[in-house]
Amino acid sequence: MDKCYKSRFLNINPAEKTFLVHRDAYRDPEVFALEQKKVLHKSWIALAHEAEIAKPGDFITRTVVGKDLVLNRDRNGVVRGFYNSCRHRGAAVCRDRGGNSKSFVCPYHGWVYRDDGVLVSTGSPEADAAFPDGFCDGRTTLLSVPNLQQYAGFYFVNFDPDAQSLESFLGGAADCLQMISEHSAVGMEVISGVHEYEINANYKLLCENSYDGYHLSSVHASYVEYLVETMKGSGMELKPVGAARSFGHGHACFEIAIKAGRAVAQWIPSMGEKVREEVEAKREEVIARVGEERGNVICDTHRNMVIFPNSVINDQQSVLVRSIVPTAYNRMMVRAWTLGPIDESDTLREIRLDNMLSFLGPGGFATPDDVAMLELCQRAYEATDVEWNDFSKGFSAEEITREGAEADLYDELQMRAYWLEWDRMMNA
Amino acid sequence: MPEHQRGEQNVQQQNCGLNRPEVEDFLYLEADHLDQWALDEWLGLWSESGELSYQVAPTGEDDPGSLESSSTMFLISDNRYRLEQRIVRMKKNSFHAEYVRSRTRHMYGHVRIIHQDARQAGVQFNASVYRTKGSETVIYPSLVRATLARTPGGLRLVKKRVELDLYCLATMGALTILL
């Protein structure tokens, strides 16, 4: 891109090295309605991890991008995704957050669906007899989602019948998911306990924040001071180094080497001497399995990734997945859940959770300050007439066309990659 | 049985002579320190000896009383060091989340002594914490399980574990007040 580019939402001037995004993208309810159709319902959205539906009959209910879904593994081991609505009057057929069941029964008139979604009863033999022949013999089913696919154990949905495959959508982001699956030789599990909280801001603000290296030293000054405090006298230094990387299709991450400690597998003094050996043994196990170079990347670096448009997967103190449910142009619900190796010892599991809670989550030492910033931004979008946000930090025009572009950790390449894809889809 | 419930089964043999009015007086002082944002004074109500624990269990769980922070992701699970660091952080200007501090009102009721031994007592009470920020007010209803120790300096907190009745942290989603 050598020439200037201007759309309703973007204003890019390569000669001036400026990249601006219009605030209507965050503050206009009509834009939100349009982006539901053009972006959110045409992209792959992270839904769950395979460990949540490991056994036949396991099911979970989830809301993603405004759709209520049931995800289950049927008696034959097939993973299925349905809309949570009876075909009769529409009531939800599943009111639990999760469990194990061979069927789903609508509470309204008693329609019974087998775990493969097929209607097997309309409540009683008398009721069955009053419906057309064959009504309960396979011709009526719960409505399946148009697309459900998994990569490295992560299930995604896409509501566009013409969607490209998940793997081609993920592109270079796929390897970050693969790396998470390599934390353990026997697989990962979802750890109990979920952080669910609302933020009064447009969902894209949280995406931007999740891989924004630039804000660490200002917003998280008090967390960084805490980390420095935990390292006192250990001879270790914090020294964050890293890079931002774009993967195409709007996905990007920043990869940062920082001594914040990881159960897989980086020991820091605040974990205590007692577990040093165990953490170091885990590190050796990873390296022996995946090789030294890749093993070091897995154990020493944090990857904060946004899978366009709303799935945040942070591979840091623990693996934290943030499924963002945009509920209005200025409001989102965040559902954050965490993964750990199935074969992790009780000691390392405790350390993982303890270490993560110090930073992440609505009661952590970092997330609340992020939330405060996002809400300040949203408020200003709605209550001032300023039109454009600036994303020019480190901008060079050639990054737009370069596959797998990399930039300084503290630049804004990753957000520009996001906005270019968002703008493309909005104008399609 | 989870460690925090274990004492409920104990037969009372010796006790530290605690009665409900004494416990209530202590808890009202604790609530008052929180509502005044007297954070150092609040920290001063915690026992100086041994390990302490301040926890907020995750929301949306059917049986939060059965959960352990060692295997479940809690909202907050602080030992002494992290609780002290939390207070340090809460007093800084860079604690952006409470730059304009929430006003809170901690209401405690149904206070019961569940068990006591020669040194300490397990108490349980209902709490409603009102939090006001800007023009909005939210309520955090919860069951609180606490352990109080009798020390030469008076009663002290050893454990405080908050089990919220909330499905999720909705309005004011960041938990930046002390419950």
Side-chain angles (χ1 to χ4, degrees):
Chain A
M1 189 187 282
D2 304 323
K3 290 187 208 134
C4 294
Y5 171 80
K6 197 161 182 193
S7 69
R8 180 178 171 197
F9 302 109
L10 298 187
N11 187 346
I12 305 170
N13 186 327
E16 301 282 329
K17 299 193 172 200
T18 54
F19 189 111
L20 307 179
V21 175
H22 200 279
R23 292 184 178 181
D24 280 354
Y26 307 88
R27 69 184 170 195
D28 184 339
E30 285 174 23
V31 170
F32 181 66
L34 196 64
E35 75 176 322
Q36 298 240 36
K37 280 193 209 133
K38 293 194 149 202
V39 178
L40 296 168
H41 296 161
K42 283 187 181 289
S43 301
W44 286 94
I45 309 292
L47 177 62
H49 189 268
E50 64 182 0
E52 295 175 274
I53 42 160
K55 298 186 298 294
D58 283 354
F59 72 87
I60 54 169
T61 56
R62 289 284 151 80
T63 300
V64 290
V65 292
K67 316 256 188 208
D68 287 344
L69 306 178
V70 180
L71 182 75
N72 80 330
R73 187 179 294 273
D74 74 17
R75 64 196 67 197
N76 299 314
V78 179
V79 175
R80 297 174 183 275
F82 304 109
Y83 292 102
N84 192 2
S85 176
C86 180
R87 298 307 287 266
H88 181 222
R89 285 293 188 279
V93 296
C94 188
R95 290 172 290 172
D96 298 312
R97 284 192 166 192
N100 187 284
S101 180
K102 288 190 162 59
S103 60
F104 301 107
V105 181
C106 176
Y108 196 174
H109 297 88
W111 285 30
V112 181
Y113 298 89
R114 210 164 55 201
D115 56 10
D116 61 359
V118 173
L119 180 72
V120 292
S121 165
T122 58
S124 66
E126 294 74 25
D128 291 348
F131 280 96
D133 286 346
F135 197 72
C136 298
D137 291 339
R139 85 184 223 199
T140 312
T141 63
L142 289 172
L143 187 63
S144 292
V145 296
N147 294 287
L148 175 71
Q149 289 178 20
Q150 68 90 24
Y151 189 88
F154 291 88
Y155 274 89
F156 289 74
V157 281
N158 190 319
F159 299 99
D160 177 9
D162 302 320
Q164 60 181 320
S165 76
L166 173 63
E167 198 169 345
S168 90
F169 168 83
L170 288 173
D175 192 49
C176 292
L177 299 181
Q178 184 63 38
M179 258 192 251
I180 291 168
S181 73
E182 290 170 8
H183 286 194
S184 163
V186 297
M188 301 292 278
E189 64 185 3
V190 173
I191 298 170
S192 85
V194 172
H195 289 166
E196 254 184 303
Y197 52 102
E198 283 186 344
I199 303 176
N200 288 319
N202 186 279
Y203 75 95
K204 297 187 288 297
L205 274 166
L206 182 59
C207 294
E208 290 171 4
N209 173 266
S210 293
Y211 53 16
D212 176 347
Y214 188 16
H215 80 298
L216 292 177
S217 59
S218 48
V219 174
H220 299 309
S222 65
Y223 177 68
V224 172
E225 286 156 15
Y226 163 76
L227 278 184
V228 169
E229 179 68 30
T230 64
M231 285 176 186
K232 239 183 206 169
S234 71
M236 289 171 92
E237 281 183 72
L238 202 58
K239 272 197 195 158
V241 288
R245 192 169 299 144
S246 109
F247 296 120
H249 298 291
H251 317 312
C253 80
F254 77 55
E255 192 171 79
I256 176 172
I258 183 172
K259 292 277 189 317
R262 298 171 57 100
V264 182
Q266 181 192 63
W267 181 85
I268 54 168
S270 64
M271 291 176 173
E273 273 303 325
K274 273 193 296 192
V275 298
R276 185 168 193 163
E277 205 172 307
E278 190 176 353
V279 176
E280 282 168 4
K282 175 64 189 170
R283 181 190 191 94
E284 281 166 30
E285 185 275 322
V286 173
I287 286 171
R289 186 158 39 81
V290 304
E292 186 158 10
E293 194 183 340
R294 192 167 172 87
N296 285 336
V297 172
I298 288 175
C299 295
D300 283 334
T301 58
H302 294 194
R303 268 161 302 286
N304 289 28
M305 174 166 63
V306 177
I307 297 181
F308 182 89
N310 70 330
S311 307
V312 177
I313 300 182
N314 289 350
D315 180 359
Q316 44 190 118
Q317 286 89 341
S318 184
V319 177
L320 191 81
V321 182
R322 284 179 178 157
S323 306
I324 305 173
V325 184
T327 49
Y329 71 97
N330 59 358
R331 203 167 176 82
M332 70 185 109
M333 171 64 80
V334 182
R335 183 176 191 284
W337 39 287
T338 189
L339 291 164
I342 293 171
D343 56 346
E344 190 159 77
S345 73
D346 291 349
T347 318
L348 279 189
R349 179 58 53 89
E350 191 169 354
I351 283 171
R352 164 187 297 278
L353 289 168
D354 187 61
N355 193 24
M356 183 185 61
L357 279 197
S358 68
F359 185 62
L360 290 165
F365 283 12
T367 303
D369 290 330
D370 289 321
V371 171
M373 294 305 119
L374 309 193
E375 292 184 344
L376 279 179
C377 293
Q378 184 69 37
R379 164 84 195 171
Y381 301 159
E382 294 176 41
T384 70
D385 294 329
V386 181
E387 289 192 87
W388 297 91
N389 274 357
D390 191 296
F391 286 85
S392 309
K393 193 164 188 288
F395 176 50
S396 73
E398 53 109 29
E399 78 186 27
I400 291 171
T401 47
R402 191 154 39 100
E403 192 74 18
E406 268 198 39
D408 186 83
L409 171 65
Y410 304 105
D411 283 349
E412 295 176 329
L413 165 86
Q414 57 279 43
M415 297 143 204
R416 291 189 290 270
Y418 184 105
W419 280 110
L420 284 165
E421 180 66 4
W422 188 86
D423 181 70
R424 187 191 68 74
M425 291 185 85
M426 287 295 277
N427 294 318
Chain B
M1 185 185 298
E3 195 272 331
H4 64 273
Q5 288 180 342
R6 209 166 289 149
E8 295 170 23
Q9 305 281 314
N10 286 354
V11 181
Q12 292 185 16
Q13 290 167 339
Q14 294 172 289
N15 69 46
C16 50
L18 260 184
N19 56 36
R20 200 180 67 232
E22 194 181 358
V23 171
E24 285 175 338
D25 282 347
F26 177 81
L27 292 176
Y28 295 160
L29 178 67
E30 190 254 356
D32 192 49
H33 284 338
L34 289 176
D35 293 339
Q36 301 293 330
W37 282 81
L39 299 173
D40 289 328
E41 288 81 355
W42 181 76
L43 199 57
L45 294 179
W46 287 82
S47 168
E48 282 172 20
S49 60
E51 198 45 80
L52 60 80
S53 160
Y54 171 69
Q55 296 188 325
V56 181
T59 57
E61 297 286 341
D62 293 334
D63 185 13
S66 69
L67 303 175
E68 297 276 10
S69 64
S70 56
S71 55
T72 292
M73 181 166 72
F74 272 45
L75 283 163
I76 294 174
S77 179
D78 286 351
N79 56 15
R80 168 179 300 281
Y81 179 71
R82 199 150 69 217
L83 187 60
E84 285 170 358
Q85 290 298 316
R86 184 178 294 279
I87 300 299
V88 167
R89 198 177 102 79
M90 288 178 84
K91 293 192 296 187
K92 286 184 178 171
N93 283 336
S94 56
F95 186 42
H96 304 290
E98 291 287 338
Y99 179 67
V100 178
R101 283 178 170 173
S102 300
R103 289 180 68 102
T104 67
R105 200 57 61 191
H106 287 67
M107 312 294 286
Y108 294 162
H110 300 133
V111 176
R112 288 185 295 156
I113 299 173
I114 302 297
H115 63 88
Q116 54 180 316
D117 60 26
R119 280 185 315 113
Q120 57 187 36
V123 304
Q124 195 173 297
F125 54 97
N126 292 346
S128 293
V129 179
Y130 292 73
R131 176 186 186 189
T132 301
K133 222 175 163 77
S135 59
E136 283 189 286
T137 302
V138 294
I139 304 171
Y140 297 85
S142 70
L143 172 73
V144 182
R145 303 173 203 265
T147 303
L148 304 181
R150 210 183 256 302
T151 74
L155 280 183
R156 290 290 179 267
L157 274 165
V158 177
K159 285 182 188 166
K160 184 178 183 186
R161 174 182 162 118
V162 179
E163 296 168 11
L164 290 163
D165 293 325
L166 302 175
Y167 185 81
C168 64
L169 296 168
T171 308
M172 296 179 220
L175 197 55
T176 47
I177 58 165
L178 292 163
L179 289 175

Short mmCIF file of all heavy atoms in Angstrom, two decimals, chain A residues 126 264 303:
data_model
loop_
_atom_site.label_atom_id
_atom_site.label_comp_id
_atom_site.label_asym_id
_atom_site.label_seq_id
_atom_site.Cartn_x
_atom_site.Cartn_y
_atom_site.Cartn_z
N GLU A 126 -49.60 -40.55 23.13
CA GLU A 126 -50.82 -39.89 22.62
C GLU A 126 -50.45 -38.66 21.80
O GLU A 126 -51.01 -38.41 20.73
CB GLU A 126 -51.73 -39.47 23.78
CG GLU A 126 -52.34 -40.62 24.58
CD GLU A 126 -51.35 -41.32 25.50
OE1 GLU A 126 -50.34 -40.70 25.91
OE2 GLU A 126 -51.56 -42.53 25.78
N VAL A 264 4.36 -24.46 33.43
CA VAL A 264 5.05 -25.09 32.28
C VAL A 264 5.91 -24.03 31.64
O VAL A 264 5.41 -23.26 30.84
CB VAL A 264 4.05 -25.65 31.26
CG1 VAL A 264 4.79 -26.32 30.11
CG2 VAL A 264 3.06 -26.60 31.89
N ARG A 303 2.55 -15.77 25.30
CA ARG A 303 1.95 -15.34 24.03
C ARG A 303 0.53 -14.85 24.31
O ARG A 303 -0.32 -15.62 24.73
CB ARG A 303 1.90 -16.49 23.02
CG ARG A 303 3.11 -16.58 22.10
CD ARG A 303 3.22 -17.93 21.48
NE ARG A 303 3.31 -18.95 22.51
CZ ARG A 303 4.42 -19.16 23.24
NH1 ARG A 303 5.50 -18.48 23.01
NH2 ARG A 303 4.42 -20.07 24.19
#
